[in-house]
Amino acid sequence: MPKVSVIIPIYGVEKYIARCAHSLFNQTLYDIEYIFVDDCTKDNSLDILKNVISIYPEREKNIQIVHHDFNKGLPAARKTGLEYAKGNFVIHCDSDDWVVENAFELMYNEAINQNADIVVSDYYRIDSKKTIVSSGFETTENICFINDMLMLRYACSVWNKLVKRSLYSYEIDYPQFGMAEDLALMVQLCYHAKKICGIHVPLYYYYHNTESISRQKTDVIILKQCNEACSNVRLIDYFFKRTDYYRLYRNAIDHQKLIQRDRLFSLSSNKEIYFKWHTTFKEINCSLFFNPCNSFREKLRYLLGRLNLYKFLLLSTKIAK
């Protein structure tokens, strides 16, 4: 049984997959299995990946390439990878990102030494102009950590968290859509974890890919992203309502509902979108001003929106930029 399973979805990453694969195969931890999930990519990503694999014959027996029959999207690709994973621990890696060469060894050793179910690391956030170090956590106490993720204080991503595979055997509601899917999955895993620990060392390079579809901001894409994100937040809400601890997370969940529906705010001059903005998660409207998780700006934005003065807020935002 391998110590760590790494799951890497493949779709439209021919510019980046070689860099990612090299960083994975150069890991100082040897007992790793790599599961690449081909989500019906249309470019040369697979050919490039196979060329890189040929450079590392000692890794080949631990590499699987799984193929989807049709494009299913990122959450489904990750779930497929989990079905093939056999490692004691699982971590995900996006194929346009890369990792420090001793990342998995450090995280695995920390998990064993601390008897932890989840290990969180810091990470590098990088684009074409700069690289910054971002903290993955402040506290790893379960309730605070989950609330911090819901508040988006720290990355809710799956790629900087090594997770004991047995946590996935709990009743998990898997996200179906590609916005806020990391958050929807991670809060459930963290809820079931007995111990979470962290390493304040950046081990992952998160590449801010401006060509990604999720970075495009046409009206159609904004509406689609809002629908997907809200669906995943409903999943979170439903999950915690089935537990005895919903009251501990309710304010942060309601705050997350506000964040996701406010994706529509820039389009709210359209009457239909305005109605959708106001009625999505309408249960939070009454308590919105009393929720300590909501910032003054978020409360002001809602008030101006309800008074049909949203144009002034949008104008002030553009001037500030």
Side-chain angles (χ1 to χ4, degrees):
M1 181 180 293
K3 293 177 179 177
V4 174
S5 297
V6 188
I7 298 170
I8 314 99
I10 304 293
Y11 186 81
V13 287
E14 62 182 6
K15 294 181 180 179
Y16 314 105
I17 186 59
R19 177 180 62 189
C20 175
H22 280 298
S23 76
L24 295 175
F25 300 149
N26 281 316
Q27 286 297 298
T28 55
L29 181 67
Y30 185 76
D31 195 5
I32 303 175
E33 70 169 354
Y34 303 93
I35 304 167
F36 294 90
V37 182
D38 168 28
D39 196 26
C40 292
T41 187
K42 298 176 182 178
D43 62 3
N44 294 318
S45 295
L46 285 180
D47 291 335
I48 296 171
L49 172 61
K50 290 174 182 177
N51 286 335
V52 176
I53 291 173
S54 68
I55 302 173
Y56 301 88
E58 73 281 5
R59 293 284 194 185
E60 284 194 55
K61 67 180 186 300
N62 296 322
I63 298 171
Q64 296 184 70
I65 300 178
V66 182
H67 302 277
H68 279 171
D69 294 330
F70 58 92
N71 178 256
K72 298 181 181 181
L74 179 60
R78 287 174 171 169
K79 187 178 180 183
T80 295
L82 287 167
E83 294 169 1
Y84 285 84
K86 298 180 177 64
N88 289 324
F89 289 84
V90 173
I91 194 165
H92 298 264
C93 181
D94 288 349
S95 44
D96 52 356
D97 299 337
W98 66 102
V99 290
V100 175
E101 67 177 14
N102 62 344
F104 301 147
E105 181 177 16
L106 288 176
M107 297 180 83
Y108 177 79
N109 288 342
E110 187 73 7
I112 298 303
N113 293 336
Q114 298 294 328
N115 192 26
D117 294 324
I118 297 176
V119 178
V120 186
S121 79
D122 291 349
Y123 60 97
Y124 296 102
R125 181 180 175 90
I126 186 168
D127 58 26
S128 59
K129 297 180 180 179
K130 60 184 178 180
T131 300
I132 60 174
V133 176
S134 296
S135 176
F137 63 99
E138 181 174 298
T139 175
T140 51
E141 190 277 322
N142 287 48
I143 294 174
C144 293
F145 188 63
I146 290 171
N147 273 304
D148 282 345
M149 286 195 295
L150 288 167
M151 292 287 293
L152 302 185
R153 292 181 178 132
Y154 303 100
C156 52
S157 51
V158 295
W159 37 253
N160 73 325
K161 299 173 182 68
L162 184 74
V163 178
K164 186 174 287 187
R165 184 164 60 91
S166 59
L167 290 185
Y168 286 97
S169 64
Y170 286 95
E171 185 178 352
I172 299 292
D173 295 330
Y174 285 91
Q176 298 181 17
F177 303 105
M179 295 302 296
E181 79 280 5
D182 284 24
L183 177 64
L185 180 59
M186 281 311 308
V187 294
Q188 297 180 73
L189 294 171
C190 289
Y191 173 81
H192 290 300
K194 293 180 180 178
K195 184 176 182 179
I196 303 170
C197 68
I199 303 176
H200 269 308
V201 178
L203 300 176
Y204 189 93
Y205 286 89
Y206 168 67
Y207 178 59
H208 186 75
N209 185 358
T210 56
E211 297 178 1
S212 166
I213 292 177
S214 64
R215 310 296 177 205
Q216 301 173 23
K217 296 301 177 185
T218 66
D219 291 0
V220 172
I221 289 177
I222 290 173
L223 183 58
K224 178 177 181 293
Q225 289 177 342
C226 180
N227 288 336
E228 291 185 356
C230 288
S231 176
N232 285 331
V233 173
R234 288 188 185 95
L235 183 152
I236 295 170
D237 193 45
Y238 177 68
F239 171 80
F240 280 109
K241 280 181 177 176
R242 303 200 310 268
T243 74
D244 296 327
Y245 300 95
Y246 182 65
R247 61 181 179 81
L248 299 176
Y249 304 106
R250 180 170 182 174
N251 283 339
I253 292 172
D254 284 354
H255 175 74
Q256 184 62 215
K257 291 177 180 179
L258 180 64
I259 289 173
Q260 300 304 344
R261 82 172 185 189
D262 272 1
R263 291 173 181 269
L264 297 177
F265 196 79
S266 63
L267 309 179
S268 55
S269 56
N270 178 298
K271 290 184 179 180
E272 291 183 5
I273 300 297
Y274 173 79
F275 180 78
K276 182 177 179 64
W277 167 75
H278 179 245
T279 56
T280 298
F281 298 131
K282 62 182 180 181
E283 69 273 12
I284 71 172
N285 292 339
C286 293
S287 60
L288 190 150
F289 291 101
F290 305 101
N291 187 340
C293 295
N294 297 337
S295 68
F296 173 78
R297 180 177 177 79
E298 287 165 333
K299 295 173 183 178
L300 177 62
R301 181 163 53 215
Y302 175 74
L303 178 62
L304 292 177
R306 290 297 292 131
L307 295 175
N308 288 318
L309 298 174
Y310 49 82
K311 292 181 180 178
F312 291 100
L313 182 57
L314 292 175
L315 178 61
S316 66
T317 301
K318 291 179 180 177
I319 294 174
K321 291 181 179 179

